[in-house]
Amino acid sequence: MPVREALRLLESQGVVVSEAYKGIRLRPVTNERVSDLIEARIALEASATARAVAAGRNRGSHLDELRSAVAEMELMAARGSAYGVAVADTRFHRALCRLGGNSVTLDLWETLAPQCTIIFGLATFGKPMAGVVEEHVDLLAVFEAGDIEAIERTLDEHITVMNHAMDYEAIVARRRRERDAQ
């Protein structure tokens, strides 16, 4: 794909921004932007999980991809790969949305996925990767149990509370200082 088209795609996904007379730059990661992203994600994922439970897609082989994503997260955490954990994290949440069976919800979630992967990766620098894995183990268990209220509470804890406890701007600043010191 030509570079111009690739940059337009990244811009449509919110990863980069185009500024007149300055060109295209990575979208700054701010706590406010993360908060907005979280609000959209929680709405989409809560809707998807409720639909999945109503359709009985929270048991048996329907959970294979979720289990596989958790196993991948565990492996990547053991290897110390923040990127690997972030990719598996994205895969887990994509599978949750897919189980909802609503293609519009999934399409909307996919527009947020590249930004989510960046945020998931940054989160591994602010809390232990094992904690990220454990949150997904808990989410999988509550999803399989099928209690909608418990699922919503667990999603809120995993997505909203945990992410609001992170200072993404400080994480980015620290990573830049570490990079510059090398």
Side-chain angles (χ1 to χ4, degrees):
M1 147 181 333
V3 173
R4 188 175 317 202
E5 287 180 37
L7 289 172
R8 279 192 203 125
L9 175 63
L10 290 172
E11 185 175 21
S12 73
Q13 294 172 337
V15 176
V16 298
V17 292
S18 178
E19 297 178 24
Y21 307 108
K22 291 184 180 180
I24 295 179
R25 304 183 189 293
L26 285 174
R27 178 181 292 279
V29 176
T30 65
N31 293 327
E32 181 180 359
R33 177 73 181 177
V34 171
S35 183
D36 291 347
L37 181 61
I38 289 166
E39 185 178 329
R41 273 192 62 211
I42 198 76
L44 293 171
E45 292 185 32
S47 171
T49 55
R51 284 177 55 103
V53 168
R57 291 188 292 266
N58 63 313
R59 294 181 296 280
S61 63
H62 294 290
L63 301 179
D64 289 350
E65 186 159 357
L66 295 172
R67 289 185 181 116
S68 174
V70 169
E72 184 180 344
M73 261 186 265
E74 290 170 338
L75 176 63
M76 293 297 113
R79 291 181 180 169
S81 173
Y83 176 76
V85 170
V87 169
D89 193 337
T90 301
R91 187 172 144 222
F92 180 94
H93 289 276
R94 177 179 289 119
L96 268 181
C97 285
R98 191 177 298 119
L99 288 171
N102 182 327
S103 64
V104 173
T105 298
L106 183 58
D107 289 347
L108 290 169
W109 191 90
E110 287 295 346
T111 65
L112 303 177
Q115 295 175 73
C116 290
T117 302
I118 292 167
I119 300 308
F120 298 158
L122 288 172
T124 64
F125 293 111
K127 62 182 170 184
M129 285 185 239
V132 174
V133 174
E134 189 59 37
E135 289 174 23
H136 289 85
V137 169
D138 294 345
L139 185 53
L140 177 57
V142 76
F143 178 64
E144 187 173 17
D147 179 341
I148 299 296
E149 289 180 16
I151 293 167
E152 288 176 358
R153 277 193 311 275
T154 305
L155 271 172
D156 184 57
E157 178 71 21
H158 171 62
I159 296 173
T160 307
V161 174
M162 294 298 186
N163 280 294
H164 282 156
M166 308 282 289
D167 184 346
Y168 286 96
E169 293 170 25
I171 292 169
V172 169
R174 186 178 76 236
R175 295 291 297 162
R176 284 188 179 138
R177 283 192 305 275
E178 290 169 0
R179 181 196 63 207
D180 293 344
Q182 295 177 354

